Amino acid sequence: MTDLSIREAQAGDLEAIIRLHEEDELGSHGDVWSDETRPVYEAAFRAIQKSPDNRLFVAVDGSEVVGTFQLTFIPNLTARGTTRVKVESVKVKAARRSGGIGAQMIAFAADHARTQGAAAMELTSNKTRKDAHRFYERLGFARSHEGFKKRL
Amino acid sequence: MTDLSIREAQAGDLEAIIRLHEEDELGSHGDVWSDETRPVYEAAFRAIQKSPDNRLFVAVDGSEVVGTFQLTFIPNLTARGTTRVKVESVKVKAARRSGGIGAQMIAFAADHARTQGAAAMELTSNKTRKDAHRFYERLGFARSHEGFKKRL
């Protein structure tokens, strides 16, 4: 892990990022990289790059993308105008899990959010991901909220 | 309720919006409108207005602000590049609760999100807000996720 670095994702990382999504154990999102799906991912990547409030990161070991996460900065009135940061789409390469990569990514996310003036970090995790819940609690997150979703 | 309309918030609505935050039963966010706090709310309001991904709304009955909510559009790779919308800081005036204002706001939010191309809506609610959880489940939201928070 000595070579691990975390940096903003570039267009050339997109396939490797989606390959991490493919490994998701729930698989409920149907993510797969193919000639057919590539255009929608490229469009979404451009939308993330264009947004001043969103940043997509990769964790790289040597030249290999081994993790990814997205940060969304949310300006908000609540708590006296506290900017909060939502952590989204946290993925670590299956073969490299339980090796500290996730913890390094979340620590990086917290540092980055803090330097940008955010005072709180939040995320949601599917209720079936028990390992992830223990992971976030170990990192000092409080499991204080219920997360609701609805398809439109 | 025949006069209820929902529109984007304007600077002149800010005090009324924060008064709704003051009525929050948890009160854990310390929100209060005063000469001292006004500048931080004004700065946060400007940050929301400036963000292309955020919109703050009010529900107005005649000339009275009776509700508010914020929408955050999040471009994302997950689920084949689905844009999702986070609903944030949903508040209804205490004296007007259980009168359908919240349901009208959420229906408006869903319509607005859909017309902007979003495919999913999400929100988190403190685990102590049991009434709110029943409300969101009645409106078709699935309580599928755990919500984690950490102060920075």
Side-chain angles (χ1 to χ4, degrees), chain B residues 80-133:
Chain B
R80 304 198 174 189
T82 295
T83 294
R84 55 190 68 186
V85 170
K86 186 173 191 287
V87 191
E88 183 63 59
S89 304
V90 180
K91 307 284 176 194
V92 172
K93 194 172 174 63
R96 298 293 297 274
R97 280 178 205 156
S98 306
I101 293 170
Q104 284 185 257
M105 294 198 306
I106 297 299
F108 180 98
D111 284 345
H112 181 76
R114 213 180 281 115
T115 62
Q116 301 292 311
M121 199 154 72
E122 63 179 54
L123 60 92
T124 66
S125 176
N126 191 295
K127 281 181 185 285
T128 64
R129 300 190 198 268
K130 306 291 186 193
D131 290 348
H133 304 165

Side-chain angles (χ1 to χ4, degrees), chain A residues 1 8 34 39 45 50 61-62 65 77 79 95 116 130 142 151-152:
Chain A
M1 202 127 68
E8 279 206 63
S34 70
F45 183 81
K50 196 178 146 194
D61 186 353
V65 172
L77 295 172
Q116 301 291 313
K130 307 290 186 196
R151 285 178 196 267
L152 297 177

Side-chain angles (χ1 to χ4, degrees), chain B:
Chain B
M1 205 126 67
T2 47
D3 278 344
L4 195 75
S5 63
I6 297 172
R7 60 164 171 78
E8 279 205 63
Q10 299 159 1
D13 300 318
L14 188 54
E15 177 174 352
I17 293 169
I18 301 304
R19 296 294 182 195
L20 298 181
H21 283 252
E22 281 183 4
E23 293 183 340
D24 185 278
E25 66 263 26
L26 286 185
S28 53
H29 294 301
D31 286 308
V32 58
W33 180 266
S34 70
D35 287 347
E36 183 203 345
T37 61
R38 181 178 178 149
V40 296
Y41 290 121
E42 288 175 338
F45 183 80
R46 284 192 299 271
I48 294 168
Q49 285 198 304
K50 195 177 146 195
S51 166
D53 295 330
N54 283 275
R55 282 182 194 161
L56 182 67
F57 292 91
V58 286
V60 180
D61 186 355
S63 63
E64 186 186 17
V65 172
V66 295
T68 183
F69 60 99
Q70 179 177 340
L71 299 184
T72 304
F73 289 78
I74 305 180
N76 188 250
L77 295 173
T78 302
R80 304 198 174 189
T82 295
T83 294
R84 55 190 68 186
V85 170
K86 186 173 191 287
V87 191
E88 183 63 59
S89 304
V90 180
K91 307 284 176 194
V92 172
K93 194 172 174 63
R96 298 293 297 274
R97 280 178 205 156
S98 306
I101 293 170
Q104 284 185 257
M105 294 198 306
I106 297 299
F108 180 98
D111 284 345
H112 181 76
R114 213 180 281 115
T115 62
Q116 301 292 311
M121 199 154 72
E122 63 179 54
L123 60 92
T124 66
S125 176
N126 191 295
K127 281 181 185 285
T128 64
R129 300 190 198 268
K130 306 291 186 193
D131 290 348
H133 304 165
R134 280 188 289 271
F135 168 74
Y136 290 119
E137 287 180 324
R138 261 199 322 270
L139 296 180
F141 284 81
R143 195 195 304 200
S144 55
H145 284 60
E146 296 288 342
F148 293 84
K149 308 252 177 185
K150 184 182 184 178
R151 287 179 195 269
L152 297 176

Side-chain angles (χ1 to χ4, degrees), chain A residues 40-53:
Chain A
V40 297
Y41 291 121
E42 288 176 339
F45 183 81
R46 285 192 299 271
I48 294 167
Q49 285 198 304
K50 196 178 146 194
S51 165
D53 295 330

